[in-house]
Structure formats: structure tokens, C-alpha cells
Amino acid sequence: MAEFSDLFYKCFIREDRYKLLLSGIGVTIKVSLLAVIIGIIIGMLIAMCNLSHKKFLRVVGGVYTDVIRGTPSVTQLMIIYFVIFAFVQLDKWIIAAIAFGINSGAYVSEIIRAGILSIDKGQTEAGRSLGLSAFQTMSRIVIPQAVKNIFPALCNEFIVLIKETAIVGYVGLMDIQKAGDFIKSATFIAFMPLIGTAVIYYILIKILTLLLGRIEARLRKSDAR
């Protein structure tokens, strides 16, 4: 027990190293939140392209989805940071969030597309028969119903996204994982920083899972009514 206390003190208390982890938590949360917003926006647009009757839009949506899903997220992050945004004055975390949002958008688009296709075509026909335009029918009738169906899958994508942000250290961001690596390098102790990093990620994801679970439960209650 004394040895454990010594290791804990050396890794997290000495030189206020715990502050690195606290700062890293903030970076991870900021990047993840902005990325999920960007991902949902892009995902919705690409899903509309893939469901469009226009061939050009379907090709654009298909190419985007194919390229993003077919290349590693770390490669995409480095291309966006070191090539596309190389001469753009933006905070590192914003660029990283854009990269993860673009990556997530490809997966979200497939989730949204599947959710929209799961709605009975009679709903669309009913909306059009009431005089609604195609856009109004989609936005007022189809999408609200699809959201309830795809919400669990979107929650899972958000959780996966948080874990994927562990690679932002490649572009010099001090997130949770990078903070743990820094402590490991400074103390030459691997066990404590790595376990501490894993525990932090677990707690964050557990809290998020509980919150999203409550929201999903409320959505189900509204269905029951």
C-alpha cells in the first residue's frame, strides 16, 4: 500500500502533474463536443445526398463516405492539420474537432440514411397528400420519427468519437492520453499513468452513457403516450 501511495504521489501530485490530466479532460471534451456537432451536420447533408434522386449528389455522397470510411482517422487528422489547415490561423483543438467531425460525418450519414429508410413510405405519401413539399415532409414528418430510431446509434457514435480523440497527440494537443504519456515519460513509470488515463476515459464515458440513457428513456416515454 505504501508503494502504491508513493507511485501515486510521484505520478500525479509531484509538480502538480494532475493538472495536466485535468487540462487534458477539458481538451478531450471540447474536441468531442464540437466534432459531434460537425459530424451530425455533415452526416445529415451527406445522407440527403445519398437519398437524392439526382445522380450527381448520390455520387458526391458515395465518394465522401467511401473515402472517409476507407482511410484511417489518424491519417485524416494529419492531412487536415498539416496540409489543409497548415497556413490557417485556428486553435489546434478546433482543427482537430473539424477533422474528427469530417470523419464522424461519414458514419453518421449512414446512420441517418438507415433511420430515414426505416420510416414507412406511407408517412411521406401522407405528408405530400396534405400539400406539404418534399422538404416539409422530410423535416416535419420523416426526420422527427427517424431521430427516435437512430438516437441509440448516434449515442454510440459519440462514445466512439470520445475514444478516437485519443490520437490528437499526433498534432501536439495535450489531451487525456497525451497527458498520461507525458507523465509516463517524466517519471519512467508506465503502470500508474496508463491506468489513470484508462480510469478517466471510463468515468467520462460512463457518465455520458448514463446521461444519454436518460434522454433515450424520455424519448421512449413520449412514444408510449
Side-chain angles (χ1 to χ4, degrees), residues 103-118:
N103 176 271
S104 180
Y107 298 92
V108 171
S109 69
E110 289 300 289
I111 294 172
I112 294 175
R113 184 180 68 85
I116 291 174
L117 292 177
S118 70

Side-chain angles (χ1 to χ4, degrees), residues 12-222:
F12 303 123
I13 306 302
R14 183 182 294 176
E15 298 180 4
D16 293 333
R17 293 192 178 107
Y18 70 92
K19 292 182 179 180
L20 293 174
L21 291 171
L22 292 178
S23 177
I25 292 172
V27 170
T28 296
I29 292 174
K30 287 193 302 182
V31 172
S32 300
L33 285 176
L34 181 56
V36 77
I37 293 171
I38 295 172
I40 290 174
I41 294 172
I42 293 177
M44 179 64 73
L45 294 175
I46 297 300
M48 294 299 102
C49 288
N50 289 332
L51 293 170
S52 174
H53 296 295
K54 297 182 179 180
K55 184 177 180 180
F56 173 73
L57 292 178
R58 293 200 306 272
V59 170
V60 170
V63 170
Y64 174 86
T65 303
D66 189 52
V67 170
I68 296 300
R69 294 175 68 182
T71 54
S73 55
V74 64
T75 304
Q76 296 166 18
L77 173 64
M78 296 179 76
I79 289 174
I80 290 173
Y81 185 84
F82 291 110
V83 179
I84 298 177
F85 284 91
F87 303 103
V88 178
Q89 297 297 319
L90 276 178
D91 291 340
K92 289 182 179 181
W93 75 270
I94 295 178
I95 299 176
I98 292 172
F100 286 111
I102 292 173
N103 176 271
S104 180
Y107 298 92
V108 171
S109 69
E110 289 300 289
I111 294 172
I112 294 175
R113 184 180 68 85
I116 291 174
L117 292 177
S118 70
I119 304 302
D120 190 271
K121 290 183 178 179
Q123 299 286 328
T124 301
E125 294 171 356
R128 298 307 300 272
S129 67
L130 291 172
L132 299 177
S133 65
F135 175 79
Q136 290 174 324
T137 301
M138 181 65 69
S139 61
R140 296 181 183 180
I141 298 176
V142 177
I143 291 180
Q145 295 182 70
V147 166
K148 294 181 181 180
N149 294 338
I150 66 178
F151 186 76
L154 286 177
C155 293
N156 184 66
E157 174 61 24
F158 189 19
I159 289 170
V160 170
L161 186 61
I162 290 177
K163 291 185 287 186
E164 284 189 348
T165 60
I167 62 174
V168 295
Y170 279 95
V171 295
L173 270 176
M174 185 67 76
D175 70 321
I176 299 171
Q177 184 62 54
K178 188 67 174 179
D181 291 342
F182 181 87
I183 294 172
K184 178 166 63 69
S185 300
T187 61
F188 299 101
I189 299 172
F191 173 79
M192 192 66 71
L194 291 175
I195 294 299
T197 300
V199 169
I200 291 172
Y201 274 114
Y202 176 80
I203 292 173
L204 281 179
I205 292 172
K206 192 65 177 179
I207 293 172
L208 179 63
T209 302
L210 293 173
L211 290 175
L212 294 176
R214 288 190 175 186
I215 296 174
E216 184 180 352
R218 289 187 178 183
L219 290 176
R220 289 178 180 174
K221 285 183 179 180
S222 66

